[in-house]
């Protein structure tokens, strides 16, 4: 069995959506009888950034976003003993408190699950072409590139 096929079996959920995200959906996607540890990370829209009050924000993505997200996930799968992995990211207009991203990894042991999940969210933020446009209460705005 090739690594690509193996990673496809392990990559259980990839999504970039305009609709609200579900922690339960992501958690359930990574359930695996061989996993002794599952880590879920949930990123939410916060009300401030660098001491400026955030009113709301909007995410946009490049058309290749899911391909790039898959590449990040395949690298995590190749570097850790992942049993299952999942990632969903929101695009469009979001309000304070909305879920922006949910990722999860299940592994045989908790330490591996924490490391794989952290690597997944860090690499997603650094490499996947998703951009955040923040609108501040003071009328200003800022674009933040995820990669």
């Amino acid at each position: 069995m090739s690594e690509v096929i193996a990673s496809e079996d392990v990559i259980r959920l990839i999504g970039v959506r305009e609709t609200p995200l579900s922690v339960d959906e992501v958690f359930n996607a990574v359930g695996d009888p061989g996993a002794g540890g599952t880590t879920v990370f949930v990123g939410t829209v916060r009300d401030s950034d660098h001491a400026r009050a955030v009113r709301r924000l909007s995410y946009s993505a490049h058309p290749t976003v899911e391909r790039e997200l898959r590449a990040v996930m395949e690298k995590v799968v190749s570097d850790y003993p992942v049993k299952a992995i999942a990632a969903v990211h929101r695009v469009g207009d979001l309000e304070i408190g909305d879920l922006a991203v949910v990722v999860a990894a299940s592994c045989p042991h908790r330490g591996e699950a924490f490391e794989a999940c952290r690597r997944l969210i860090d690499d997603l933020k650094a490499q996947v072409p998703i951009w955040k446009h923040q609108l501040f209460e003071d009328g200003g705005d800022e674009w933040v590139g995820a990669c």
Side-chain angles (χ1 to χ4, degrees), residues 8-9 22 29 45 48 53 62 70 72-73 78 106 128 132-134 145-146:
E8 286 178 6
D9 293 338
S22 165
V45 178
S48 65
H62 190 272
R70 178 175 289 279
V72 163
M73 295 171 83
S78 73
S106 61
V128 177
K132 176 172 62 173
H133 185 209
Q134 297 188 111

Side-chain angles (χ1 to χ4, degrees), residues 6 20-21 25 42 64:
L21 305 181
E25 177 191 23
V42 180
T64 62

Side-chain angles (χ1 to χ4, degrees), residues 33-88:
T38 299
T39 302
V40 178
F41 172 82
V42 180
T44 57
V45 178
R46 64 182 176 270
D47 65 0
S48 65
D49 190 22
H50 301 291
R52 291 179 76 185
V54 173
R55 183 168 34 103
R56 64 182 191 85
L57 58 80
S58 180
Y59 283 100
S60 58
H62 190 272
T64 62
V65 67
E66 287 192 9
R67 183 177 73 217
E68 299 299 325
L69 180 52
R70 178 175 289 279
V72 163
M73 295 171 83
E74 287 174 346
K75 181 68 172 140
V76 172
V77 168
S78 73
D79 291 347
Y80 296 91
V82 173
K83 294 293 185 178
I85 194 169
V88 292

